[in-house]
Amino acid sequence: MADITETIRTEKSRTALSVQAGFLLVGLLLLLLAPFFFYPIFLMKLLCFALFACAFNLLLGYTGLLSFGHATFFGGAAYFTAYTVKAWGLPPELGILIGVAGAAFLGLVMGFFAIRRQGIYFAMITLALSQMFFFFCLQAKFTEGEDGIQSVPRGHLFGFIDLNSSTNMYYFVLAVFLIGVLIIWRFINSPFGMILKSIRENEQRAISLGYSVARYKLGAFVMSAALAGLAGAVKSIVFQFATLTDVAWQMSGEVILMTLLGGIGTLIGPLFGAGLVVALENYLATSEFPVTIITGIVFMVCVLIFRRGIIGEFYASRLGRKLGFVYRR
C-alpha cells in the first residue's frame, strides 16, 4: 500500500514538473515573439521593472525585510551607468557593470546601518538614507541636477552589436532579465536562501542554531541592491537618460506596490505585478483620469480580494496546487 501511495505521489510530481516546464517554455516563446506584436520600448520598460520587483522581492519575500529605499540602488546605478557611458565613453556592458558595482556598494553601506534594526525601524532607516542619497543626486555636479543625465549613447555591445536598433536592444534587455531571474532562482534555492527563509520565519531560532543572522541579512541586502542596480543600469541605456525620478521615494513605493500586487514570496508574482502596473501607466497615460488613482483602486481591490497577491492566490488555490505550485509565504 505504501509503495502504491509513493508511486502516485511520484507521478503527480512528474506531472506537475511537466506542467510547470510547459508554462516556462510558453513564457519564453511569448517573450521572444513579443517585439513583433508590441512596442519594444514598452516591453523593455516592463522587463526592467519586472527585474527590479524581483530583486526587491528577494529581500521582502524571502528575508522578511521591508525596505523603503530601493530607489537608491535602482536610480544610483542608472546615474553611474549613464555618466560613465556618456562622459567616459565606456561601452554599455562596462557601464552596466559599474552601475551594478555602485549599487552593491550603496547596498553594503545602507545595509550595514539598517540591519541593526527590525520592522518599522528598519524601513524608516532605509527611507532616511534613501532621501539623503536623493538630495546628494540633486546637488552633485555629475548628475546635472533636475535636468538629469540626458542623451546617453547606447553604443555597441561587445563592440559589434548595435544597440541603437530597437530589436537588438530588446533581446539584450531580455537576456539580462533572464540572467537576473535565474540568479534570483538559484539564490533562493541554495542553502543560503534556505537560511534566509528560516530567518524570515523565526529569527530567534536561527540565532539559537548558531547562524550569524546579521551577516545573512546583509548578504541578502547587497544581493538585492546589486540586482536592483542591474535593472536601473539597463533602464538608463534603454531610455538614454537618468533623472531624479529614478531615486525618488515614489519609485521605492512603486516597486513595493508591484511586489504586493503579484504576491510576495513567489518568483513569478513580482513579474506579474510589474507588468500590471507598467501596463496601466502606459495605456492610461493619455487618459484624463489620474493614473495614480486608478492604480490605487486596483491595489485596494487586490488587497481586499487577493490577500496573498494575484499569483499567490493562484498558487494557494485548488487548481494551483493540482498543477504543482506551492505557496509557502
Side-chain angles (χ1 to χ4, degrees):
M1 186 67 181
D3 292 339
I4 296 175
T5 304
E6 185 63 30
T7 302
I8 293 173
R9 288 178 179 175
T10 304
E11 288 299 325
K12 286 184 177 180
S13 178
R14 289 176 180 174
T15 303
L17 288 175
S18 299
V19 171
Q20 292 174 23
F23 277 122
L24 179 61
L25 291 175
V26 170
L28 288 174
L29 182 61
L30 291 175
L31 288 174
L32 290 172
L33 297 177
F36 299 104
F37 301 97
F38 299 97
Y39 187 44
I41 296 296
F42 163 72
L43 294 173
M44 287 186 276
K45 180 180 179 180
L46 192 154
L47 291 175
C48 289
F49 276 99
L51 180 57
F52 184 26
C54 286
F56 176 78
N57 185 53
L58 177 63
L59 192 65
L60 175 62
Y62 295 98
T63 314
L65 299 175
L66 175 59
S67 168
F68 280 108
H70 259 54
T72 294
F73 317 126
F74 182 78
Y79 272 120
F80 298 147
T81 298
Y83 180 79
T84 54
V85 169
K86 181 180 180 180
W88 295 355
L90 294 182
E93 63 272 16
L94 287 182
I96 290 172
L97 289 176
I98 290 175
V100 172
F105 175 75
L106 290 173
L108 180 64
V109 174
M110 184 181 290
F112 177 79
F113 293 102
I115 62 170
R116 299 171 184 271
R117 294 293 181 265
Q118 297 179 359
I120 189 63
Y121 302 105
F122 172 88
M124 289 299 100
I125 289 175
T126 58
L127 176 61
L129 294 174
S130 179
Q131 285 300 99
M132 289 174 61
F133 186 75
F134 171 83
F135 286 110
F136 166 77
C137 291
L138 179 62
Q139 299 295 330
K141 291 184 178 180
F142 83 95
T143 63
E144 300 184 23
E146 295 182 354
D147 294 330
I149 303 176
Q150 302 181 24
S151 302
V152 178
R154 287 184 176 179
H156 290 72
L157 184 67
F158 305 122
F160 65 92
I161 302 176
D162 186 9
L163 295 183
N164 291 300
S165 167
S166 295
T167 303
N168 292 343
M169 189 73 229
Y170 171 77
Y171 286 111
F172 169 63
V173 174
L174 177 60
V176 171
F177 167 76
L178 292 176
I179 291 171
V181 172
L182 181 61
I183 290 172
I184 293 172
W185 176 84
R186 184 68 188 90
F187 189 78
I188 61 181
N189 288 285
S190 67
F192 192 96
M194 296 298 108
I195 295 171
L196 290 181
K197 293 175 186 177
S198 69
I199 293 172
R200 178 194 67 191
E201 298 299 329
N202 194 327
E203 183 174 334
Q204 294 304 317
R205 186 171 184 179
I207 293 173
S208 68
L209 291 173
Y211 292 112
S212 179
V213 170
R215 291 184 180 180
Y216 281 99
K217 283 185 177 180
L218 184 59
F221 198 96
V222 173
M223 176 61 74
S224 178
L227 290 167
L230 177 61
V234 172
K235 178 179 175 290
S236 70
I237 298 294
V238 170
F239 290 96
Q240 300 182 275
F241 61 79
T243 66
L244 289 172
T245 303
D246 297 329
V247 293
W249 66 267
Q250 290 91 337
M251 185 64 72
S252 296
E254 193 166 324
V255 75
I256 294 173
L257 174 64
M258 293 174 182
T259 307
L260 292 177
L261 282 177
I264 61 175
T266 64
L267 187 60
I268 305 298
L271 307 182
F272 188 88
L276 179 61
V277 172
V278 172
L280 283 174
E281 292 178 349
N282 183 72
Y283 290 108
L284 297 176
T286 57
S287 172
E288 296 182 358
F289 200 72
V291 178
T292 51
I293 294 179
I294 298 176
T295 305
I297 293 173
V298 171
F299 177 67
M300 289 172 57
V301 171
C302 288
V303 168
L304 293 173
I305 300 177
F306 307 107
R307 299 294 296 274
R308 303 179 181 92
I310 297 173
I311 299 300
E313 288 292 344
F314 171 71
Y315 280 10
S317 68
R318 182 179 298 178
L319 176 60
R321 293 196 302 271
K322 186 176 292 186
L323 293 175
F325 296 105
V326 180
Y327 184 77
R328 296 190 177 93
R329 184 70 177 103

